Amino acid sequence: MTEQSFLEQRLDASTWPIAVGDIVVLLLLLFAGTLQHHSLESVQADPLIYVTAAGPFVLAWLVCAPLVGAYSPGGGSAPNSSIPLAIRSWIPAAILGLVVRVLADFGGADPIFAAVMLVGGAVVLSIWRFLYFLVR
């Protein structure tokens, strides 16, 4: 019997629909947030507005989610394991995204913005995963 690497234990190919959905709902949340501060016309004229807003958080999610186990075998088996794994993955991802955002000078990390990102991301990921298991 061969030993699995750390990442092999954290990634299960059957969770790919959840992973795609996670990215989509995060992108939608970040797009809605971008539209709170910029008009659609300005985002269409300068897509970097959205890229710099969403990029740090999506990249942080892509790093943190596999490490925490959001796509592990247990992460795709039932909502009672999948939703807490998403929340536990989102917390460090949101914090890392905020840090990257500040260090890259893409914007500040106002405490209210940080709270909105932490709570908003956890809520949309939870709702998405709940709906996924409801219709699966």
Side-chain angles (χ1 to χ4, degrees):
M1 187 165 149
T2 63
E3 287 188 41
Q4 290 182 314
S5 72
F6 178 78
L7 274 181
E8 288 173 330
Q9 295 172 11
R10 296 283 193 257
L11 296 173
D12 180 3
S14 69
T15 62
W16 74 265
I18 295 171
V20 170
D22 288 347
I23 296 296
V24 169
V25 299
L26 289 174
L27 287 171
L28 290 172
L29 170 70
L30 292 157
F31 188 68
T34 301
L35 291 180
Q36 292 295 313
H37 302 282
H38 302 278
S39 69
L40 180 58
E41 292 79 20
S42 66
V43 174
Q44 288 173 328
D46 185 7
L48 280 179
I49 293 170
Y50 178 60
V51 171
T52 58
F57 295 100
V58 172
L59 290 175
W61 175 258
L62 292 173
V63 169
C64 293
L67 292 176
V68 174
Y71 306 119
S72 64
S77 60
N80 63 342
S81 61
S82 181
I83 293 169
L85 279 169
I87 294 168
R88 285 195 306 261
S89 299
W90 177 246
I91 292 169
I95 293 168
L96 180 59
L98 288 164
V99 169
V100 169
R101 178 181 160 88
V102 169
L103 293 177
D105 202 25
F106 292 152
D110 183 294
I112 293 188
F113 175 68
V116 167
M117 288 308 300
L118 280 166
V119 174
V123 168
V124 298
L125 287 165
S126 297
I127 291 170
W128 146 245
R129 285 181 175 220
F130 176 80
L131 292 173
Y132 171 80
F133 285 103
L134 189 65
V135 298
R136 185 176 86 153

